[in-house]
């Protein structure tokens, strides 16, 4: 596949020129927010901002921020900067506890979103006519519809499969021979296992070459496992409904070492999650975005809760956009185990580096006793399923593997984490939606069968 840009001028513009554009757009945004009235206008006024001319990129850190709580407090249409009648679509995330976060789009917002997703697909090597198997969920969730519109803007051929019904997906991949797969990384594993079980692999003619995976955190170790399973290049795409959906940032097939942030539209900052002060480039911080050009529900300095670092510079692909690292976690998904802070992604890295376990895992927080315990549940692969191995030899399913993993987890995290090796198929697979990696065990039966203590 040949890498192309979708909007070469914007994606490869010298940083200085882009800064001028961002400054102008920031002033325009602030003007629109002030004119619209409401929460953000009030906060700007309180910060002494009376017009777009009062703000500059250099003074960004002095401007007020917004958060998910603001969206909830003004649910569903309280943060519009356009008349309600100009909203042509609503998307969002269902969130935990059934509390949805809803976001409104104007016609121009939808067009912008399509272009951002087209940039991501082009950067992955797709172009006009490329068949894209889109297994992100369609609906309120932004994954399916976002990638769908991006594929059409690019002139590619999109197969709107949505999530789930894996057997049907296998048939469609066999018959339509897509080159690009778009879905969550956990579903890529699920699909890879199903394709392998159906005898469809790189060796037997699997057509897939590249995957554009996102909507949930995944590590380099997961990238390696997906690459091995499907024989494809696995690229990361990041986004969130509040900012626009997928297409806020994406990796290019050339370097695949960080995600190009579409900062001509989404100005990126990394802030200290506690103090809210900007952290230096290269230091992990809370990603914070300002939607420079969105119309219906523009957000000033939206604090995402996602932790990643930013890095400026020119990529070998020619893009000059600032890069973000993979998201290492959310500020609220940290587990405190006997006083030690543990992020699920740190555990994923250790587990998935061990090729004798399947890439599906579940972290059980056992809260039944006085001391909170963490148990990493995973499944040993049978010898015939080991990547690159020609079966033979008995696999050590017992104490050896579990003890080795436990020792590596202790080394990496500095705290004891139990390891439960469960029979194949026990750990829940993500059939649709985002993978659930953490389960709490407060009383009664364990959250996964076969777990006993
Ligand atoms: O997940 C948008 C999306 C769809 C992105 C498809 C990429 C592909 P929400 O449902 O609003 O939107 O969830 C947003 O998901 O704040 C992150 O915590 C997480 N997330 C999204 N992409 C990534 C990623 C979509 N590549 C929330 N790596 C965000 C890690 C991600 N986390």
């Amino acid at each position: 596949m040949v890498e192309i840009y979708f909007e070469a001028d914007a994606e490869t513009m010298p940083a200085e020129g882009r800064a001028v554009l961002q400054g102008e757009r920031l002033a325009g945004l602030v003007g629109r927010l002030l004119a619209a009235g409401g929460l953000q206008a009030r906060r700007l006024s309180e910060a002494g901002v009376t017009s777009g001319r009062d703000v500059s990129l250099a003074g960004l850190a002095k401007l007020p921020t917004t958060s998910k709580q603001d969206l909830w407090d003004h649910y569903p249409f309280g943060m519009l900067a356009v008349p309600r009648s100009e909203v042509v679509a609503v998307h969002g995330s269902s969130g935990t506890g059934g509390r949805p976060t809803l976001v409104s789009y104007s016609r121009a917002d939808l067009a912008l979103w399509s272009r951002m997703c087209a940039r991501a697909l082009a950067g992955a090597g797709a172009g006009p006519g490329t068949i894209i198997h889109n297994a992100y969920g369609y609906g309120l969730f932004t994954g399916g519809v976002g990638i769908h519109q991006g594929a059409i803007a690019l002139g590619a051929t999109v197969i709107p499969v949505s999530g789930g019904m894996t057997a049907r997906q296998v048939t469609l991949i066999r018959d339509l021979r897509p080159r690009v797969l778009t879905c969550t990384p956990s579903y890529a594993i699920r699909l890879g296992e199903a394709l392998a079980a159906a005898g469809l692999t790189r060796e037997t003619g699997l057509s897939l070459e590249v995957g554009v995976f996102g909507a949930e955190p995944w590590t380099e170790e997961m990238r390696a496992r997906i690459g091995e399973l499907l024989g494809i290049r696995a690229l990361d795409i990041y986004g969130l409904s509040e900012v626009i959906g997928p297409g806020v940032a994406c990796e290019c097939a050339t370097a695949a070492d960080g995600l190009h942030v579409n900062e001509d539209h989404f100005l990126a900052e990394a802030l200290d999650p506690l103090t809210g002060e900007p952290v230096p480039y290269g230091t992990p911080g809370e990603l914070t975005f300002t939607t420079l050009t969105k119309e219906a529900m523009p957000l000033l300095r939206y604090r995402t809760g996602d932790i990643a670092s930013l890095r400026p510079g020119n990529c070998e692909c020619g893009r000059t956009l600032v890069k973000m690292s993979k998201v290492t976690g959310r500020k609220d998904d940290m587990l405190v185990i006997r006083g030690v802070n543990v992020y699920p992604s740190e555990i994923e890295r250790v587990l998935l580096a061990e090729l004798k376990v399947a890439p599906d895992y579940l972290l059980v927080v056992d809260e039944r006793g006085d001391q909170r315990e963490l148990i990493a549940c995973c499944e040993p692969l049978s010898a015939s399923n080991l990547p690159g191995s020609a079966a033979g030899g008995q696999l050590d399913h017992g104490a050896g593997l579990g003890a080795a993993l436990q020792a590596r987890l202790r080394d990496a995290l500095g705290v004891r984490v139990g390891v439960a090796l469960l029979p194949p198929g026990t750990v829940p697979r993500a059939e649709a939606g985002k993978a659930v990696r953490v389960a709490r065990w407060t009383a009664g039966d364990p959250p996964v069968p076969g777990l006993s203590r």
Side-chain angles (χ1 to χ4, degrees):
M1 284 194 272
V2 189
E3 166 142 1
I4 50 163
Y5 311 110
F6 184 67
E7 296 180 313
D9 289 353
E11 294 174 71
T12 64
M13 173 186 273
E16 307 74 48
R18 181 178 299 119
V20 173
L21 183 71
Q22 288 169 325
E24 288 165 7
R25 288 181 172 173
L26 179 64
L29 166 69
V30 165
R32 283 185 286 126
L33 289 173
L34 286 168
L39 174 77
Q40 297 191 78
R42 212 161 47 242
R43 286 194 186 146
L44 280 165
S45 307
E46 282 161 14
V49 177
T50 56
S51 107
R53 283 186 304 277
D54 294 345
V55 300
S56 68
L57 276 192
L60 182 67
K62 294 197 200 78
L63 297 181
T65 59
T66 44
S67 68
K68 204 187 252 306
Q69 188 64 48
D70 295 328
L71 268 63
W72 286 338
D73 291 347
H74 296 81
Y75 174 92
F77 292 123
M79 289 189 66
L80 291 186
V82 298
R84 226 296 289 129
S85 57
E86 285 180 27
V87 173
V88 298
V90 172
H91 282 278
S93 54
S94 45
T96 45
R99 193 172 202 190
T101 304
L102 293 185
V103 180
S104 297
Y105 297 72
S106 70
R107 196 174 291 280
D109 293 337
L110 286 187
L112 171 69
W113 188 18
S114 304
R115 285 161 46 209
M116 297 302 106
C117 286
R119 284 189 189 181
L121 294 169
T130 303
I131 299 184
I132 300 176
H133 182 97
N134 185 20
Y136 284 113
Y138 280 63
L140 203 56
F141 174 56
T142 52
V145 172
I147 295 292
H148 184 98
Q149 297 174 135
I152 290 173
L154 186 62
T157 309
V158 64
I159 315 299
V161 201
S162 195
M165 297 216 261
T166 303
R168 189 180 66 170
Q169 307 232 4
V170 169
T171 305
L172 287 170
I173 290 175
R174 188 198 306 269
D175 296 349
L176 296 172
R177 302 190 51 73
R179 286 159 71 193
V180 179
L181 171 65
T182 54
C183 61
T184 59
S186 51
Y187 193 64
I189 293 280
R190 169 86 187 86
L191 205 46
E193 288 170 347
L195 286 164
L200 200 55
T201 61
R202 193 86 173 148
E203 291 70 40
T204 61
L206 180 62
S207 58
L208 294 172
E209 290 174 21
V210 64
V212 182
F213 304 129
E216 62 190 23
W218 55 306
T219 57
E220 288 300 332
E221 286 71 16
M222 180 74 92
R223 192 204 297 269
R225 299 294 289 268
I226 295 174
E228 228 158 60
L229 187 61
L230 284 155
I232 60 173
R233 197 86 197 282
L235 303 176
D236 200 350
I237 179 166
Y238 168 84
L240 61 165
S241 323
E242 299 91 311
V243 172
I244 203 152
V248 173
C250 48
E251 275 181 332
C252 62
T254 314
D257 71 342
L259 298 88
H260 297 284
V261 180
N262 286 317
E263 55 168 333
D264 45 337
H265 296 283
F266 314 114
L267 196 54
E269 298 172 86
L271 306 182
D272 181 313
L274 294 178
T275 64
E277 290 302 314
V279 298
Y281 282 131
T283 305
E286 181 178 358
L287 289 174
T288 299
F289 292 100
T290 296
T291 64
L292 294 174
T293 53
K294 255 175 61 170
E295 287 182 350
M297 221 186 87
L299 293 173
L300 189 61
R301 305 191 75 215
Y302 181 75
R303 295 185 60 161
T304 64
D306 294 324
I307 307 295
S309 59
L310 295 174
R311 169 165 51 109
N314 299 346
C315 181
E316 55 183 298
C317 72
R319 288 180 179 79
T320 52
L321 299 157
V322 68
K323 275 187 185 176
M324 60 176 257
S325 68
K326 271 184 157 310
V327 171
T328 53
R330 288 188 50 79
K331 73 179 179 191
D332 50 14
D333 73 0
M334 190 179 75
L335 302 167
V336 183
I337 306 296
R338 288 188 296 283
V340 179
N341 300 345
V342 175
Y343 281 99
S345 63
E346 296 175 295
I347 302 179
E348 176 179 304
R349 296 185 53 194
V350 175
L351 295 180
L352 268 57
E354 172 52 76
L355 299 182
K356 290 183 194 151
V357 299
D360 311 284
Y361 67 94
L362 182 74
L363 307 180
V364 172
V365 185
D366 182 355
E367 294 176 336
R368 293 170 305 156
D370 302 338
Q371 283 273 30
R372 188 187 248 194
E373 302 285 340
L374 189 57
I375 312 162
C377 301
C378 47
E379 301 167 3
L381 284 173
S382 65
S384 58
N385 283 339
L386 281 181
S389 82
Q394 272 300 347
L395 192 79
D396 177 7
H397 282 191
L401 181 57
L405 281 171
Q406 212 157 307
R408 275 176 239 158
L409 285 167
R410 179 182 258 293
D411 275 357
L413 307 168
V415 66
R416 191 184 69 242
V417 176
V419 172
L421 298 176
L422 302 174
T426 316
V427 171
R429 264 56 172 179
E431 187 65 29
K434 302 187 186 219
V436 176
R437 299 295 195 196
V438 179
R440 294 189 188 276
W441 187 4
T442 47
D445 290 339
V448 247
L451 197 62
S452 61
R453 274 197 345 117

